[in-house]
């Protein structure tokens, strides 16, 4: 059976920050969510202080002062670019690659005629040398066991950041499984873990010992595959290509309450343009659009208003100007004055491959070829000079509604003025 490797960047967001700020090494660092709301990434030093994932930033100020915790706002441009660099490097180690998330990647190791632990260490060394990011490598005969081995590589120092499950003797495998909690298994969330525990299944060893058919009947075919994979039976193949999204949503909370239709229109225009750009990137076309607006549900003492409307796009489109026009049309019909709006969003639905849509013979819409050239030009300019360099007039110029990012670091790898200078 051909083994799999799961390569995972340690504390990805924090590690990206540390690459360009070496002074953060060994310091307690956390990365905040949109609007600097809560913790979405924590260094080992912050985790040791008991800070939980999702902990509100405003509630930990005493702890921040006491332990000199350093915060950084989410730097999505940096993280996406560093992820692309890592995945490009990993592609040279195997032609069989599945990018599972922004910081994780499965590799098929079929045909590798080397010691796999040495190969894993070479992967670690190359990624570290070329990007500065630390990774752990888990190797197993199935994707689930590779994921489990990666967990051990990360948590158990004796594996030196690379764990090959097949190199562990059977007795030791059973002992390790007995020590691991159900939540440590890929795809077993808190709810399923709680149900399993009520059925007397308390750790990975007892889950692997379950009858797969009984698990399918009582739980799901997905959990049945997990049990089979824990036994070393291949049940989840490597996905060679990522599937296109079935819907695309762009939504953000505002940096401060928005009270005017003009400011809401700017935000909706920006979100519509971003959604259209994502649509073109996967070579799709949308047949539906919806817009939603809402006040802050965490301020129940203030007047509340939430509304959304979905309509058909006629004709189907990936054109920024047309999508923005429809989005603003919806906004004007759902907007109500007198409310402090906290969030808005645009969703594109009914996505189809661009080439499968049949055009109307007698329509008088703008020339699709001209619009396609315009959108392509806009995408190239924004890719070259930064998002928002070229935008619709309705998106405005000040955009003072944008989310808070009081601790944002430079875009070191994607913006010319921010590129680090070696002195």
């Amino acid at each position: 059976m051909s083994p799999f490797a799961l390569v995972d960047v340690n504390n990805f967001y924090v590690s990206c920050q540390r690459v360009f700020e070496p002074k953060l090494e060994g310091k307690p660092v956390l990365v905040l969510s949109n609007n600097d709301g809560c913790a979405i990434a924590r260094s080992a030093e912050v985790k040791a202080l008991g800070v939980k994932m999702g902990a509100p930033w405003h509630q930990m100020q005493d702890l921040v002062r006491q332990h000199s915790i350093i915060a950084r706002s989410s730097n999505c441009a940096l993280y996406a670019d560093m992820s692309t660099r890592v995945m490009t490097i990993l592609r040279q180690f195997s032609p069989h690659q599945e990018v599972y998330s922004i910081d994780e990647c499965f590799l098929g190791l079929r045909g590798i005629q080397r010691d796999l632990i040495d190969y894993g260490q070479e992967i670690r060394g190359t990624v570290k040398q070329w990007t500065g990011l630390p990774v752990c490598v888990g190797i197993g005969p199935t994707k689930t066991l590779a994921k489990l081995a990666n967990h051990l590589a990360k948590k158990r120092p004796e594996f030196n950041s690379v764990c090959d499950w097949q190199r562990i003797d059977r007795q030791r495998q059973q002992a390790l499984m007995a020590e691991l909690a159900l939540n440590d298994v890929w795809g077993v969330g808190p709810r399923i873990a709680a149900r399993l525990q009520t059925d007397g299944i308390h750790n990975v060893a007892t889950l692997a010992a379950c009858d797969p058919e009984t698990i399918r009947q009582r739980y799901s075919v997905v959990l049945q595959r997990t049990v089979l994979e824990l036994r070393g039976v291949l049940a989840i193949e490597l996905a060679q290509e990522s599937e296109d999204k079935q819907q695309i949503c762009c939504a953000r909370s505002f940096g401060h309450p928005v009270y005017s239709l003009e400011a809401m229109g700017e935000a909706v225009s920006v979100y519509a343009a971003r959604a259209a750009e994502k649509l073109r990137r996967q070579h799709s076309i949308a047949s539906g659009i919806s817009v939603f607006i809402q006040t802050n549900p965490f301020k129940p003492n203030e007047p509340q208003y939430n509304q959304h409307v979905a309509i058909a796009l006629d004709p189907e489109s990936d054109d920024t100007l047309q999508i923005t026009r429809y989005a603003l049309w919806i906004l004007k019909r759902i907007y109500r004055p007198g409310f402090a709006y906290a969030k808005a969003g645009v969703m594109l639905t009914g996505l189809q491959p661009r080439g499968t849509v049949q055009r109307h013979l007698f329509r008088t819409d703008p020339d699709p070829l001209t619009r396609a050239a315009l959108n392509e030009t806009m995408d190239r300019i924004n890719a070259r000079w930064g998002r928002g360099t070229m935008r619709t007039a309705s998106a405005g110029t000040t955009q003072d509604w944008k989310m808070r990012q009081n601790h944002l670091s430079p875009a070191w790898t994607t913006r010319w003025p921010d590129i680090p200078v070696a002195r």
Side-chain angles (χ1 to χ4, degrees):
M1 183 181 294
S2 302
F4 299 90
L6 188 278
V7 185
D8 176 29
V9 183
N10 304 340
N11 294 326
F12 179 61
Y13 292 173
V14 171
S15 294
C16 287
Q17 299 291 158
R18 284 174 165 171
V19 168
F20 299 96
E21 295 183 275
K23 64 182 180 182
L24 299 183
E25 289 289 348
K27 304 284 183 63
V29 180
L30 60 82
V31 176
L32 301 172
S33 63
N34 292 342
N35 275 318
D36 294 344
C38 61
I40 59 170
R42 304 152 297 153
S43 68
E45 296 80 8
V46 171
K47 293 176 184 178
L49 296 174
V51 176
K52 303 297 183 183
M53 183 70 81
W57 172 239
H58 71 274
Q59 292 181 3
M60 63 176 84
Q61 295 308 301
D62 290 340
L63 194 67
V64 169
R65 286 188 290 268
Q66 183 180 354
H67 297 281
S68 301
I69 296 177
I70 301 168
R72 291 290 180 266
S73 301
S74 293
N75 193 332
C76 296
L78 172 67
Y79 308 148
D81 183 67
M82 294 297 283
S83 173
T84 299
R85 292 171 188 237
V86 171
M87 302 310 166
T88 301
I89 293 169
L90 295 179
R91 198 170 296 126
Q92 77 175 30
F93 288 95
S94 172
H96 312 291
Q97 181 186 46
E98 177 189 342
V99 178
Y100 180 65
S101 68
I102 193 170
D103 62 342
E104 292 180 280
C105 175
F106 284 104
L107 297 176
L109 301 182
R110 181 172 67 243
I112 303 299
Q113 302 296 322
R114 292 181 46 188
D115 181 277
L116 294 183
I117 292 181
D118 289 345
Y119 202 59
Q121 291 294 350
E122 182 180 338
I123 292 173
R124 284 188 65 236
T126 303
V127 174
K128 180 67 174 178
Q129 182 179 5
W130 291 11
T131 69
L133 294 171
V135 302
C136 286
V137 182
I139 301 168
T142 67
K143 290 171 70 175
T144 302
L145 286 175
K147 185 83 168 170
L148 200 69
N150 182 275
H151 175 81
L152 294 171
K154 188 177 297 184
K155 301 295 183 181
R156 308 279 178 129
E158 63 265 30
F159 292 109
N160 192 25
S161 299
V162 177
C163 175
D164 183 355
W165 183 256
Q166 298 174 104
R167 291 276 288 273
I168 304 173
D169 65 73
R170 183 65 179 171
Q171 185 176 0
R172 176 64 172 151
Q173 287 179 353
Q174 288 298 311
L176 287 170
M177 281 187 166
E179 296 173 12
L180 293 173
L182 294 169
N183 285 344
D184 294 330
V185 177
W186 182 36
V188 178
R191 263 188 213 175
I192 296 178
R195 283 186 59 194
L196 288 168
Q197 288 175 344
T198 60
D199 287 344
I201 303 169
H202 298 289
N203 55 45
V204 179
T206 51
L207 177 61
C210 290
D211 175 55
E213 185 60 28
T214 302
I215 289 293
R216 185 188 67 81
Q217 294 175 0
R218 181 162 177 76
Y219 293 91
S220 67
V221 68
V222 174
L223 192 60
Q224 178 193 34
R225 292 191 188 116
T226 298
V227 171
L228 289 170
E229 292 239 326
L230 287 173
R231 294 177 165 200
V233 178
L234 182 62
I236 306 174
E237 296 286 348
L238 198 68
Q240 296 297 327
E241 295 183 3
S242 58
E243 296 183 358
D244 289 340
K245 296 179 180 178
Q246 299 304 304
Q247 59 185 27
I248 291 175
C249 181
C250 187
R252 295 286 187 277
S253 297
F254 303 137
H256 57 76
V258 171
Y259 297 93
S260 70
L261 176 60
E262 181 182 3
M264 291 290 287
E266 288 185 359
V268 167
S269 295
V270 170
Y271 302 156
R274 290 182 185 174
E277 182 182 345
K278 292 179 181 179
L279 186 67
R280 292 191 294 272
R281 196 177 300 153
Q282 72 171 37
H283 307 289
S284 295
I285 202 163
S287 60
I289 181 173
S290 63
V291 175
F292 75 85
I293 57 176
Q294 68 180 52
T295 52
N296 192 340
F298 299 105
K299 294 183 177 180
N301 295 329
E302 295 184 358
Q304 297 292 312
Y305 177 73
N306 307 291
Q307 186 59 274
H308 82 279
V309 165
I311 62 173
L313 278 173
D314 185 25
E316 302 92 340
S317 181
D318 64 356
D319 175 29
T320 291
L321 297 183
Q322 182 179 353
I323 289 171
T324 300
R325 178 165 59 86
Y326 275 86
L328 292 175
W329 185 90
I330 296 174
L331 174 66
K332 290 176 182 177
R333 279 147 186 80
I334 63 177
Y335 177 83
R336 297 292 181 271
F339 294 96
Y341 291 99
K343 188 175 184 179
V346 175
M347 180 178 291
L348 301 178
T349 57
L351 307 191
Q352 311 166 54
R354 183 185 295 162
T356 63
V357 177
Q358 184 173 354
R359 295 296 180 184
H360 297 277
L361 182 60
F362 300 108
R363 292 197 69 103
T364 58
D365 300 301
D367 180 12
L369 295 178
T370 301
R371 282 293 175 85
L374 174 63
N375 286 302
E376 182 182 359
T377 300
M378 185 160 54
D379 291 344
R380 286 185 176 182
I381 289 173
N382 289 332
R384 177 67 175 83
W385 299 105
R387 175 182 287 169
T389 300
M390 185 177 182
R391 56 180 179 267
T392 57
S394 59
T397 56
T398 57
Q399 298 184 356
D400 57 0
W401 44 265
K402 293 178 70 173
M403 61 184 177
R404 287 189 302 272
Q405 292 181 302
N406 296 329
H407 307 278
L408 184 64
S409 57
W412 287 295
T413 64
T414 58
R415 187 170 179 268
W416 283 112
D418 293 347
I419 291 178
V421 177
R423 301 187 186 278

